[in-house]
Amino acid sequence: MKKIKLLLILLSCNLFGQLHADEGMWLLQLMQEQNLLDKMKTQGLMIDGKELYSPNSVSLKDAVGIFGGGCTGEIVSTDGLILTNHHCGYGAIQKHSSVEHDYLTDGFWAKNRSEELPTPGLAFKFVERIVDITDSINALIKEGKVNEYDAMGREFLNKFAQDQLKNSDLNGKPGIIAMALPFYAGNKFYMMYLKNYTDVRMVAAPPSSIGKFGGETDNWMWPRHTCDFSIFRIYADKNGEPAEYSKDNVPLKVKKHFAISLKGFENGDYAMIMGFPGSTSRYLTKQEVEMRMNASNKPRIDVRTAYLNVLKDVMSKSDKTRIQYASKYARSSNYWKNSIGMNKAIVDNKVLETKNEQEIRFAQFAKENNNKEYMDVVSQIDNIIKEKTDLITNLTYFSEVFQNAIEFGSPYVVMDSLKVAVQQKDKTKIEKYIAQLKDVYNYIHNKDYDHEVDRKVMKRLIPIYGRNASKEFLLPLFQEVEKKWKGNFDAYIDNLYDNSIFSNDKNFNKFISKPTIKAIDNDPMTGFVRGKFSIYNKAIALTAKDADKLELLHKTYVRGLCEMYQPTPKAPDANFTIRMTYGNIKSYDPKDGVHYNYYTTLKGVMEKEDPTNPEFVVPTKLKELYSNKDFGRYAMKSGEMPTCFLTTNDITGGNSGSPVINGKGELIGIAFDGNWESLSGDINFDNDLQRCIAVDIRYVLFILDKLGGCKNLVDEMTIVQ
Ligand code: ARG
C-alpha cells in the first residue's frame, strides 16, 4: 500500500514536472548543442531531430517561412499553398476590398486557380541556409578590422553578408537574400540565407465575422473563438524559381509541406511551434523594464487611445471609411491593447521584483567569480538609462503622433531642389522634380487615405503632443500657432489641410502648371514637414549618445547571465529569425477560483453572439451548420466542433500564423495570439501563466470546406484522419 502510494507520488511529480510552461524561442541550429532534443522527447516528441531541422537535407523547417513583412506562414500542399492568420493576410484582404467587393465583410473563396488574386508587394521567404559566423566576426574584431560595437551594427553586417554571398554557391541565384545578424546581444553571429518568392496570390479568407470574431474585445485574451486563418499560394517561374508576377507563372512545387492531423489532442499532449518571433527583451535590467513601462508603453497608450477614438467614430459612419481604415485601426489597436496589458501584467506578475532578485543573484555571482566587469555592468546600464528616459518618452510621443498617426505630408527636400531649379530657370530639372512631386502626391492621396479623417486626427493629437513633449521637442508650429493663430490649433491645421499645394488636386495642379518661388515659400505643409524633421533629427542625434556603451554593456550582461544560469541553456532574444519552441497543450488558472479549459468549441461562438456589436456578429450560414451539427469529418470524438486551444509554447508577435505541430510532426493548429495574464512575457516569461493561443486546424478546414465551399483546397492537402 505504502509502496503504491510512493509510486503514485513519484509518477505524478514526474508528470507535473513535465508540464510546466516552456521558456525559450530556440535556435534550430543549436538544438543538439543545447541538449534540447532529449527534453523534447520526454515531453512527447516522436520524430527525429533531423526531421525538424537538418543543414544538409529537407526538413520541416523547409515548410515554414516569412509571410509578408512580419508574420509566419506554413506550406500545406505540394503546390505551394500557404496557411497563415487572417490578421496576417488582413492588409492584402483589405487592399483587394472595396465597397463593391467587400472581402473583409464577405470573405473570399477562390474556387479554382484562375480565381486566385495576384497581390503585388506580398512575398514569402524560405530559410535556405543558416551559417555560424561567430568565429569570423570575432577574428575581424581581434585583428582590429572592425571595433566591437560596429561589428553588431547594420552597416558592417550588411557588407559582411554581401561579401559572404559573393563567395557562396548561392551567389546570383534568383531571390536569394543574405543577412548577417547578432544573437545573444552580439555574443554570437549567424548568417541567414533566405529565398524570396514575390508572386504570392490570395486564395481564401473567411468573413471578418469569423476570421476576426471577437475583434478588439477578445484580442489578447482567452477564452477565444476566432478562426484566425487565411490562405495564399506561392507562384514561381517554370523552373520553380522566384519571379515577379506573370500570368505565365505556375504554382510552386515545394520541397516540403505539412501533413494535417484531424485526430485531435488532449491536455498535456506534446506541442511545438516553428516560426519567426519578432522581438523580445528578456535580458533587461529592472530599471530598463521601468523605462519600457513609462517611456514607451504609457505614451503609446495615451496617443493611441485618442487616435483610435477618432477612427472608430468615422469608421462607424461610412462603409468606405471603414474599409479604408480597417487595417490601420487593427494595427494600432493591437499594440495599444498589448501595451495596456503589458503594464498591468508587469505589476501583477511581479516582474520588477523578479528582476530585482535576478540582479541580487547576479551581483553575488560576479563577486564569487571576482569578475569586475560583471560587478559593475548593471549599475552602468542603469546610469545611462536614467539619462535616456526623458528622451525616449519624447521620441515615443513623436513617433506615435507624427509617424504612426498623421499621414498628410510633403517632400520638403524635393521642394527645396525645385526652388533652386526655378531660380535657375532650369527646365529639365523643374520637370524632373515635378514628376517626383506627382509621385508623392499620388502616394499621399492613395485609395486608403481620407483627407478629412486625417485632419481630424491631427486636430486631436497635436494638443496631446503639446501637453506632453518637453519644450525642446516642440515643433516650430507651436510658436507659430501662438503668434500667428492666437493659440488656435484648429485654425492652423485647417490652413494646412486647405491651403497647401498638396491639399487637393486643384491646388496641386495649379502649382505644377506654374511653380513659383513664392508658392514654395508660402506652402504651409512644406513648413510643417521641415519643422518636423528638424525635431526628429535632433532627437535621433541625442539617442546616439552612449548608444555604443549601452550595447556593449548589454553584450557583457547577457554573457554573464547565460553563464550564471548554466547548465540551464538560455535562448537568445527574438529577432525575427526562425525559432522553435516546445511544450504542451495545457489549461491554466488565471486567478483564484478560475480555471480555463485548454480548448473552446463552436458553442462558445453562439454564446458570444451579439447582433448589436459588429465584433460579435455570427453569420447565418455558420448558425445553420451549428444547429444541424453539419461538422463532417472535422468534429471531435464527442461530436463537438473545436475552435481554439492553448499551449505552453513561448511565442511573440511575428509568430502569428506559425504552425502548431504535434509529436509526430503533423499540423494541429495555427498560432495567433498570447493571453492577457502573461503580456509581460516579452520581458519575462511566466512559468505558470504564459500561453499561446491557436486556432484548431479542424475549425479552419471546417470553415474552408463547409462554409467557404473550397473542397478543392482541402483535397490538395495531406490529411491524416
Ligand atoms: N494579438 C494578435 C497578434 O498580435 C492578433 C491581432 C489581430 N487581431 C485584432 N483583433 N486586432 O498577433
Side-chain angles (χ1 to χ4, degrees):
M1 180 69 189
K2 251 194 180 157
K3 254 191 192 156
I4 292 174
K5 224 180 181 176
L6 189 69
L7 192 72
L8 271 178
I9 292 172
L10 278 176
L11 264 178
S12 63
C13 284
N14 192 15
L15 265 181
F16 288 116
Q18 284 172 21
L19 291 186
H20 60 86
D22 296 277
E23 170 162 17
M25 302 174 185
W26 303 104
L27 294 169
L28 296 171
Q29 64 271 32
L30 289 182
M31 233 163 25
Q32 304 274 0
E33 198 178 316
Q34 296 188 316
N35 292 322
L36 301 175
L37 276 164
D38 288 344
K39 288 184 203 157
M40 289 155 78
K41 291 207 166 130
T42 7
Q43 297 223 29
L45 177 68
M46 285 178 258
I47 57 174
D48 210 55
K50 280 208 265 320
E51 291 184 55
L52 294 174
Y53 169 70
S54 157
N56 314 313
S57 54
V58 174
S59 60
L60 277 183
K61 86 111 179 49
D62 296 308
V64 185
I66 298 175
F67 178 85
C71 276
T72 303
E74 55 275 12
I75 306 295
V76 288
S77 88
T78 52
D79 285 357
L81 212 52
I82 308 168
L83 267 186
T84 187
N85 288 146
H86 184 263
H87 78 261
C88 294
Y90 203 65
I93 306 166
Q94 188 267 337
K95 267 202 199 119
H96 284 300
S97 292
S98 58
V99 176
E100 295 77 38
H101 291 284
D102 187 354
Y103 302 134
L104 286 174
T105 305
D106 306 328
F108 174 77
W109 311 107
K111 294 291 159 56
N112 57 62
R113 294 193 180 168
S114 68
E115 288 176 13
E116 299 178 354
L117 291 179
T119 308
L122 186 61
F124 192 84
K125 298 178 181 68
F126 291 98
V127 178
E128 182 79 11
R129 190 178 295 170
I130 304 171
V131 184
D132 189 346
I133 49 165
T134 313
D135 290 345
S136 320
I137 304 266
N138 284 344
L140 291 174
I141 297 174
K142 221 169 171 184
E143 290 159 23
K145 301 238 167 75
V146 60
N147 70 44
E148 206 185 350
Y149 170 65
D150 288 340
M152 290 185 248
R154 211 177 268 173
E155 201 180 321
F156 167 78
L157 289 174
N158 270 345
K159 187 169 177 314
F160 182 91
Q162 295 325 312
D163 290 347
Q164 293 287 309
L165 177 62
K166 261 184 225 141
N167 300 316
S168 136
D169 57 302
L170 294 172
N171 193 27
K173 297 246 167 89
I176 295 294
I177 298 173
M179 296 191 304
L181 295 166
F183 292 74
Y184 293 102
N187 289 292
K188 266 198 166 291
F189 294 89
Y190 289 96
M191 286 263 317
M192 302 281 159
Y193 292 95
L194 305 176
K195 191 159 179 172
N196 187 25
Y197 283 87
T198 46
D199 183 356
V200 175
R201 304 190 192 170
M202 187 161 103
V203 175
S208 295
S209 55
I210 291 175
K212 202 174 185 272
F213 182 75
E216 304 313 322
T217 308
D218 276 6
N219 192 15
W220 300 111
M221 287 180 165
W222 183 261
R224 198 61 163 275
H225 300 84
T226 313
C227 198
D228 200 341
F229 86 96
S230 59
I231 303 186
F232 291 78
R233 191 192 302 280
I234 306 171
Y235 281 73
D237 70 13
K238 291 208 171 71
N239 305 317
E241 295 297 343
E244 287 306 315
Y245 168 78
S246 152
K247 62 176 181 8
D248 298 329
N249 285 351
V250 290
L252 174 69
K253 293 283 175 203
V254 296
K255 284 196 253 182
K256 182 82 187 167
H257 70 279
F258 277 97
I260 292 171
S261 166
L262 298 184
K263 282 193 209 131
F265 38 77
E266 309 266 331
N267 207 20
D269 279 0
Y270 182 81
M272 65 179 293
I273 287 174
M274 251 190 233
F276 294 80
S279 140
T280 53
S281 322
R282 297 259 169 89
Y283 296 91
L284 298 182
T285 67
K286 173 173 170 257
Q287 179 96 33
E288 289 181 296
V289 177
E290 284 176 324
M291 177 164 87
R292 175 71 67 90
M293 294 174 85
N294 300 323
S296 302
N297 289 347
K298 247 192 182 159
R300 179 174 308 117
I301 297 164
D302 194 11
V303 176
R304 291 193 186 190
T305 302
Y307 173 63
L308 291 165
N309 275 334
V310 175
L311 293 198
K312 196 172 197 161
D313 179 53
V314 292
M315 285 167 77
S316 71
K317 289 183 181 141
S318 140
D319 273 342
K320 183 164 177 259
T321 320
R322 173 180 58 76
I323 294 169
Q324 282 179 314
Y325 283 82
S327 201
K328 292 172 206 172
Y329 188 92
R331 196 182 326 127
S332 178
S333 162
N334 195 28
Y335 276 86
W336 166 77
K337 194 168 176 186
N338 178 287
S339 299
I340 296 173
M342 187 191 289
N343 276 7
K344 178 170 158 42
I346 286 172
V347 175
D348 292 351
N349 299 337
K350 305 206 170 358
V351 173
L352 296 174
E353 290 83 339
T354 307
K355 287 285 170 188
N356 205 26
E357 282 160 24
Q358 176 173 272
E359 281 164 30
I360 293 169
R361 186 175 159 193
F362 189 71
Q364 188 66 29
F365 172 78
K367 215 166 120 195
E368 277 160 18
N369 291 282
N370 197 17
N371 186 323
K372 183 84 185 65
E373 233 189 335
Y374 290 173
M375 281 180 211
D376 289 348
V377 68
V378 172
S379 63
Q380 287 197 52
I381 291 176
D382 289 350
N383 285 339
I384 298 178
I385 290 304
K386 258 176 236 153
E387 260 186 40
K388 281 197 184 272
T389 302
D390 212 38
L391 173 63
I392 301 297
T393 310
N394 277 291
L395 258 175
T396 311
Y397 271 109
F398 184 91
S399 66
E400 288 296 331
V401 171
F402 296 110
Q403 293 172 318
N404 296 341
I406 298 167
E407 292 178 66
F408 189 30
S410 72
Y412 80 92
V413 181
V414 184
M415 292 294 270
D416 286 349
S417 308
L418 178 63
K419 185 172 161 182
V420 177
V422 173
Q423 271 161 349
Q424 294 170 345
K425 300 201 171 79
D426 184 335
K427 258 194 154 169
T428 338
K429 278 203 178 142
I430 294 176
E431 261 169 40
K432 176 179 140 194
Y433 295 128
I434 284 189
Q436 288 181 13
L437 289 186
K438 273 187 191 161
D439 287 345
V440 177
Y441 183 79
N442 291 330
Y443 179 80
I444 296 169
H445 294 271
N446 62 67
K447 145 182 184 303
D448 295 327
Y449 175 78
D450 183 313
H451 200 58
E452 294 316 309
V453 171
D454 208 63
R455 182 198 306 255
K456 282 196 177 123
V457 167
M458 187 164 185
K459 284 186 177 173
R460 189 68 166 269
L461 299 191
I462 287 289
I464 295 180
Y465 187 81
R467 280 198 298 275
N468 290 285
S470 316
K471 209 163 166 237
E472 54 182 323
F473 292 102
L474 287 180
L475 284 64
L477 80 88
F478 285 89
Q479 272 197 5
E480 195 186 324
V481 168
E482 278 314 311
K483 283 198 192 127
K484 200 167 147 196
W485 302 92
K486 301 196 181 88
N488 185 343
F489 284 104
D490 284 3
Y492 167 85
I493 293 167
D494 282 333
N495 182 49
L496 203 59
Y497 279 71
D498 290 334
N499 300 326
S500 163
I501 292 167
F502 301 88
S503 292
N504 49 49
D505 292 357
K506 193 174 143 241
N507 293 5
F508 186 70
N509 290 332
K510 187 175 158 214
F511 174 74
I512 57 171
S513 70
K514 195 173 176 292
T516 64
I517 291 170
K518 193 170 162 226
I520 295 172
D521 284 343
N522 289 341
D523 181 44
M525 191 28 97
T526 302
F528 165 74
V529 177
R530 196 189 304 281
K532 185 170 99 174
F533 275 96
S534 72
I535 297 295
Y536 178 72
N537 293 337
K538 182 155 100 184
I540 291 303
L542 287 170
T543 56
K545 184 172 177 271
D546 289 336
D548 48 350
K549 263 196 217 148
L550 190 60
E551 276 214 40
L552 292 173
L553 288 166
H554 271 134
K555 181 175 172 181
T556 305
Y557 189 39
V558 171
R559 186 176 67 235
L561 285 173
C562 289
E563 283 170 16
M564 180 180 90
Y565 284 113
Q566 262 170 17
T568 308
K570 298 295 271 178
D573 268 326
N575 59 357
F576 206 49
T577 55
I578 192 160
R579 303 296 176 95
M580 173 276 297
T581 148
Y582 64 91
N584 304 86
I585 310 274
K586 203 183 171 191
S587 55
Y588 75 107
D589 298 336
K591 52 187 162 201
D592 188 40
V594 181
H595 175 73
Y596 279 153
N597 199 6
Y598 66 93
Y599 71 94
T600 56
T601 70
L602 197 51
K603 181 166 164 254
V605 174
M606 306 305 149
E607 286 171 0
K608 280 182 179 172
E609 184 189 12
D610 177 0
T612 65
N613 180 347
E615 293 183 327
F616 292 96
V617 169
V618 182
T620 316
K621 180 93 189 277
L622 185 58
K623 285 197 264 191
E624 276 168 24
L625 290 165
Y626 175 72
S627 58
N628 297 334
K629 289 207 181 313
D630 187 1
F631 303 149
R633 55 174 164 156
Y634 308 112
M636 299 162 70
K637 285 188 204 99
S638 64
E640 294 166 292
M641 184 70 229
T643 44
C644 297
F645 64 97
L646 294 170
T647 74
T648 60
N649 296 124
D650 184 4
I651 64 155
T652 187
N655 267 119
S656 283
S658 298
V660 186
I661 309 162
N662 66 14
K664 291 183 181 160
E666 299 153 350
L667 187 76
I668 54 172
I670 312 170
F672 72 92
D673 211 356
N675 59 330
W676 184 248
E677 298 80 9
S678 74
L679 280 189
S680 44
D682 282 356
I683 286 172
N684 191 64
F685 187 88
D686 192 290
N687 289 316
D688 295 322
L689 291 175
Q690 187 117 1
R691 291 294 178 276
C692 159
I693 303 177
V695 52
D696 194 306
I697 199 66
R698 291 169 293 182
Y699 189 34
V700 171
L701 296 192
F702 160 73
I703 292 293
L704 185 64
D705 183 349
K706 297 278 179 173
L707 192 125
C710 289
K711 201 170 166 302
N712 52 318
L713 297 175
V714 180
D715 288 343
E716 233 189 283
M717 302 174 188
T718 306
I719 295 187
V720 189
Q721 196 84 42

